[in-house]
Amino acid sequence: MNRVARIAGLLLCILPRASDGQPLSQEPPRADSARIYRAPEIVVTGSRLPTIAERAPVRVEVLQPPPQTPAGSVSVAELLEESAGILRQYRIRSGVQLMGLEPAYTLILLNGQPLTGRVAGVVDLRRIPSGSIERIEIVKGPMSSLYGSTALGGVINLITPRPQKGWEGQAAARYTTRDGSELQAGLGYGSSHIAAHLFGYFRHAQPFELTADSVRIPYAGVTEVALQGTTYWHPSSAWEFQTDARWFQSQTQGAFAESFAGQVAVNRGQFRQREWSAAGTGSWTRRRARLQFGLFGNQYEERYTWDVSQPQTGGSDDLLQRLGRLWVQYDLLWNVRYRFTFGGEWLVEEVSGTRYPGRPTVRTLAAFTQWEGEPYEWLSYALSLRWDQTSAYGTQWNPKAAFLLRPWGSNAPQLRFSVGTGFRAPDPRQLFVRFTNQLQGAGYALLGARLLGLELQAERSIAADAGLMIPIWLLLSIQSEGALEVRGFVNWVRNLIEPFYVGRTEGIDVYSYRNIARIATRGFEVTASATVSPTSEWRLSTRVAYQWLDAVDVDVLDAIAAGRAGTQDPTTGRFIPLRRSEYGGLWGRSRHTLAGRLQLQYAPTMTWLTFHFHHRSRFGDEALDRNGVAVLNPPRRVLDRPDEYVPGYWNISAWLSQSWRISPATVSWSIGIRNILNISNPRFLPHFVGRQWFIGCEARWGTTER
């Protein structure tokens, strides 16, 4: 009971904050867990409440930039790839694939607030400078029971720093071949009553070209600027207020290439992105209860100006998205073993511009509740439920249950398992878009389903997962920190919304959207992390994550079982049935992924050597399909031949960092190589631009020193 009471006291003493960040104070580390954690790690994404990570029923994975990582050398997407099964996916934007599900199925949060500006279902992670992120919390599996639509596959919460005491700051400069120059600076101040942090970012890159298959592929020059700030005010023990503001602008100009479905369209012109957001939150705590509330607004806009005239817009195309969110949440510590939460939110999303002449608006009213309990020292659970009512897709109910078992105590192996449902609403693009593209290499028209009189249903899923976590010190005889975790998962998704070919009008292929497919993803993950100090001078840290994935179209499996899947021999016209062993699963999915880093520190001279690697096995691309439609109803092109795969690759980076303490700051420089193996495939992997050298310098002072 004493341990439970201490945990309850920690939860009550945590500085009340909207469920998007970290507390000011934490419980000191217990002596019996010092080999696993330096201090109890607090996470918020899995329950919308501050929770000790090792006792959270919902599994929350925490990623942080490794120490002495030069500013900008690891992007947000690259850092996310350190988690098992997360893959960068670059089509029109840079997003991430999670457990075999497309970027459109993962909710991206910044300090607990949703990032907007999805194009083709993707939030472009390049809009978030990695230097502004202190930590990333990842929940894999459906979280619609707390977060609603778009959380069908999981939630990624990007969290910025919160100053703790006194002044702190950072300043960094970096130059990377083919990526240009970058400047970052941050300044913060913290005290018992107020705290503030301001961060600025600037990057400029010159245009360049790559040659692939004797074709010159241009990359346009780009200039990016970002500014974000956060303030905290804690006037009394009961009240706390927080404000967040962010502004981002990107200007791309010159010849550029866009890759979609394996095709590269080379155009000339100008592309501008602009985003701003603001949030105000507050919380009031009295005894065992806390009331949180907040208001959030976001606007994202982009504009293309092409040298080639468009039939509807002349030479330009623009998009404007606005999101407003009002929310309230009430938390009650029922007693030392149980915690109760309920709340609601009101969201209004509006989209306009060239592609949306009708200026459609979607309104959502939602309510959610959660009950967390620890009836025994060895068992804790979380039960959550959310109701959503929107103007675009009606009503949705989504429950989830998660359990944590500690039969051998808190510093021994732990078991977690959960089951829940998720949904993803049809977005404005799928419902209302009206777009015609006649640029060379990319001619087509796209019409929203409602413009053709079609109604779309929300995509639905049910998923389950189970995992075992073993403290690494139980496996190694030497003094160490870390853990080994094995996790299995399965997802079933129905009513999948996908594009389909409508017909050809005035020489243009016309596409729209419909509910048709059922997919399933299953797999397992193994993640190992350890920090070993063989001597007082040397310290070795490593993290390795592997995923095996099987992602299939259930409609195709049904057709194979019924003997309806197959192709015709072009010579004899004979029907050749497709066998299950020949079916490679969903396009764009890799069976194997492996990621990790190895970092060696020599303490006397403050020298660090870091290796970062990522492997992705081969994956199919529909643009490489060789034998046409293999399933007639519903029509499907199927991955069933070796020459329909994009080869796998290894992406390896390394850098050397040296630091000096020059009071009151720590100054460091770094030099390294990204993409050592010189990967370059503009058609299918446009985010790889060959081998890149970089050099950078950085200064940190105050509590930002790492």
Side-chain angles (χ1 to χ4, degrees):
M1 176 65 72
N2 289 337
R3 181 179 299 172
V4 177
R6 288 200 303 270
I7 294 172
L10 172 64
L11 295 175
L12 288 175
C13 293
I14 288 174
L15 187 61
R17 179 181 179 185
S19 56
D20 57 4
Q22 298 184 66
L24 273 178
S25 61
Q26 297 178 353
E27 182 186 76
R30 297 191 303 270
D32 60 357
S33 65
R35 285 186 293 186
I36 306 175
Y37 301 100
R38 293 182 178 274
E41 190 167 43
I42 306 298
V43 295
V44 295
T45 308
S47 63
R48 298 179 70 126
L49 292 168
T51 306
I52 298 175
E54 62 180 283
R55 305 183 76 91
V58 177
R59 177 183 179 270
V60 181
E61 184 177 1
V62 179
L63 296 177
Q64 293 177 293
Q68 296 302 113
T69 299
S73 63
V74 177
S75 67
V76 169
E78 288 173 314
L79 181 58
L80 285 169
E81 282 188 318
E82 291 191 2
S83 176
I86 294 185
L87 293 172
R88 269 187 295 172
Q89 185 167 304
Y90 188 101
R91 288 183 178 174
I92 298 175
R93 302 290 184 270
S94 178
V96 290
Q97 183 187 111
L98 181 64
M99 297 189 306
L101 297 175
E102 296 284 345
Y105 298 95
T106 299
L107 178 62
I108 308 293
L109 304 175
L110 180 62
N111 285 340
Q113 303 294 346
L115 283 174
T116 58
R118 288 184 180 267
V119 177
V122 179
V123 171
D124 195 350
L125 291 175
R126 292 174 299 182
R127 287 157 42 195
I128 310 298
S130 59
S132 66
I133 302 302
E134 181 182 67
R135 57 193 268 128
I136 302 175
E137 295 183 359
I138 304 170
V139 181
K140 297 177 180 177
M143 285 298 293
S144 296
S145 62
L146 288 178
Y147 292 97
S149 180
T150 315
L152 181 149
V155 177
I156 296 174
N157 192 6
L158 311 174
I159 300 174
T160 59
R162 175 171 181 168
Q164 301 296 298
K165 185 178 180 181
W167 289 95
E168 61 182 47
Q170 66 179 106
R174 177 184 64 91
Y175 174 77
T176 305
T177 56
R178 298 198 184 104
D179 199 41
S181 302
E182 181 177 307
L183 300 174
Q184 298 186 19
L187 182 65
Y189 174 79
S191 71
S192 59
H193 292 290
I194 62 171
H197 187 265
L198 181 66
F199 177 85
Y201 165 85
F202 172 83
R203 183 174 78 90
H204 177 72
Q206 296 289 339
F208 63 93
E209 288 185 340
L210 296 178
T211 301
D213 299 326
S214 302
V215 178
R216 300 178 70 87
I217 307 296
Y219 286 76
V222 61
T223 300
E224 297 176 341
V225 182
L227 187 66
Q228 64 186 48
T230 305
T231 64
Y232 312 88
W233 180 37
H234 186 44
S236 68
S237 60
W239 288 95
E240 185 186 28
F241 300 93
Q242 175 182 336
T243 62
D244 292 273
R246 167 180 162 78
W247 173 75
F248 170 84
Q249 180 168 303
S250 173
Q251 183 92 2
T252 303
Q253 191 163 359
F256 61 95
E258 286 190 345
S259 176
F260 185 77
Q263 302 300 316
V264 177
V266 178
N267 310 301
R268 293 191 61 88
Q270 179 177 282
F271 172 54
R272 186 189 70 193
Q273 291 177 289
R274 184 178 294 165
E275 175 197 7
W276 68 261
S277 63
T281 61
S283 65
W284 175 76
T285 303
R286 181 173 176 81
R287 296 181 180 177
R288 295 181 300 173
R290 176 174 63 175
L291 178 67
Q292 300 181 81
F293 48 89
L295 181 65
F296 171 73
N298 177 277
Q299 177 173 296
Y300 172 81
E301 59 180 296
E302 61 181 43
R303 182 179 180 85
Y304 282 95
T305 303
W306 289 295
D307 293 348
V308 179
S309 178
Q310 294 291 288
Q312 295 177 334
T313 65
S316 65
D317 178 62
D318 58 77
L319 170 69
L320 177 64
Q321 292 184 338
R322 293 190 177 99
L323 174 69
R325 176 176 180 247
L326 175 66
W327 63 275
V328 63
Q329 179 176 320
Y330 179 77
D331 312 315
L332 177 64
L333 189 65
W334 200 267
N335 55 40
V336 293
R337 290 188 180 272
Y338 299 98
R339 191 164 59 169
F340 174 66
T341 297
F342 72 90
E345 61 181 349
W346 170 250
L347 298 98
V348 179
E349 183 178 5
E350 179 187 88
V351 59
S352 61
T354 308
R355 305 180 190 183
Y356 301 92
R359 200 168 187 168
T361 301
V362 177
R363 295 175 176 83
T364 302
L365 178 64
F368 56 88
T369 185
Q370 180 170 255
W371 177 265
E372 297 175 86
E374 190 176 14
Y376 307 102
E377 186 68 18
W378 54 270
L379 170 66
S380 58
Y381 64 84
L383 308 175
S384 54
L385 175 67
R386 177 171 168 130
W387 166 83
D388 286 80
Q389 172 67 46
T390 83
S391 59
Y393 54 87
T395 302
Q396 297 290 328
W397 292 88
N398 288 279
K400 181 170 183 173
F403 301 88
L404 169 63
L405 303 179
R406 301 180 298 276
W408 304 283
S410 60
N411 300 307
Q414 300 181 354
L415 295 166
R416 279 186 176 88
F417 61 94
S418 68
V419 60
T421 65
F423 84 104
R424 176 177 174 266
D427 60 40
R429 168 181 56 99
Q430 295 165 334
L431 292 171
F432 307 110
V433 69
R434 183 189 298 271
F435 175 66
T436 301
N437 187 346
Q438 289 189 343
L439 294 174
Q440 182 180 359
Y444 64 92
L446 184 62
L447 299 177
R450 288 197 174 175
L451 300 182
L452 298 177
L454 303 175
E455 286 297 327
L456 297 179
Q457 302 297 317
E459 298 172 271
R460 298 283 299 171
S461 76
I462 183 170
D465 67 85
L468 171 66
M469 191 280 290
I470 305 174
I472 206 74
W473 62 268
L474 293 177
L475 304 175
L476 301 177
S477 59
I478 58 177
Q479 183 73 12
S480 60
E481 303 172 6
L484 173 68
E485 184 175 13
V486 180
R487 174 178 174 267
F489 63 88
V490 60
N491 295 280
W492 295 275
V493 184
R494 69 179 189 272
N495 291 337
L496 197 74
I497 300 173
E498 61 176 27
F500 76 100
Y501 179 67
V502 176
R504 190 170 181 85
T505 302
E506 298 180 355
I508 295 292
D509 290 327
V510 179
Y511 295 86
S512 187
Y513 297 93
R514 62 183 174 183
N515 295 106
I516 192 169
R518 298 171 295 149
I519 67 171
T521 69
R522 61 175 181 168
F524 68 87
E525 303 174 350
V526 180
T527 302
S529 61
T531 299
V532 180
S533 300
T535 70
S536 60
E537 297 179 338
W538 293 93
R539 182 182 178 91
L540 177 65
S541 299
T542 184
R543 175 187 171 89
V544 179
Y546 167 79
Q547 178 184 270
W548 176 86
L549 175 70
D550 182 35
V552 297
D553 186 324
V554 179
D555 292 331
V556 173
L557 294 183
D558 290 346
I560 292 174
R564 294 183 286 103
T567 56
Q568 287 187 327
D569 187 299
T571 304
T572 66
R574 182 174 61 90
F575 179 75
I576 305 174
L578 176 66
R579 293 176 295 182
R580 178 63 178 90
S581 60
E582 298 171 331
Y583 176 47
L586 296 177
W587 301 102
R589 274 68 169 185
S590 295
R591 184 62 59 99
H592 308 281
T593 57
L594 179 68
R597 61 173 140 88
L598 179 69
Q599 191 168 52
L600 181 64
Q601 176 194 13
Y602 184 61
T605 60
M606 298 177 66
T607 304
W608 302 71
L609 179 62
T610 304
F611 291 91
H612 193 279
F613 63 90
H614 187 269
H615 169 65
R616 180 179 184 181
S617 66
R618 66 176 188 170
F619 58 93
D621 194 289
E622 193 169 358
L624 295 175
D625 180 71
R626 295 292 187 266
N627 47 9
V629 174
V631 178
L632 295 178
N633 187 25
R636 288 286 187 277
R637 294 178 180 268
V638 174
L639 177 59
D640 57 359
R641 290 170 49 127
D643 53 0
E644 295 174 346
Y645 287 88
V646 177
Y649 61 84
W650 283 88
N651 180 24
I652 302 174
S653 301
W655 59 85
L656 178 68
S657 302
Q658 176 65 55
S659 299
W660 299 271
R661 293 194 181 276
I662 304 175
S663 184
T666 296
V667 178
S668 61
W669 65 265
S670 303
I671 186 170
I673 312 174
R674 303 177 66 178
N675 191 3
I676 292 176
L677 301 181
N678 198 30
I679 302 168
S680 179
N681 188 342
R683 186 181 179 192
F684 298 104
L685 301 169
H687 53 289
F688 287 121
V689 294
R691 187 179 296 114
Q692 297 173 275
W693 291 83
F694 65 83
I695 185 169
C697 60
E698 186 174 36
R700 293 177 175 267
W701 61 94
T703 56
T704 63
E705 294 185 42
R706 292 183 292 188

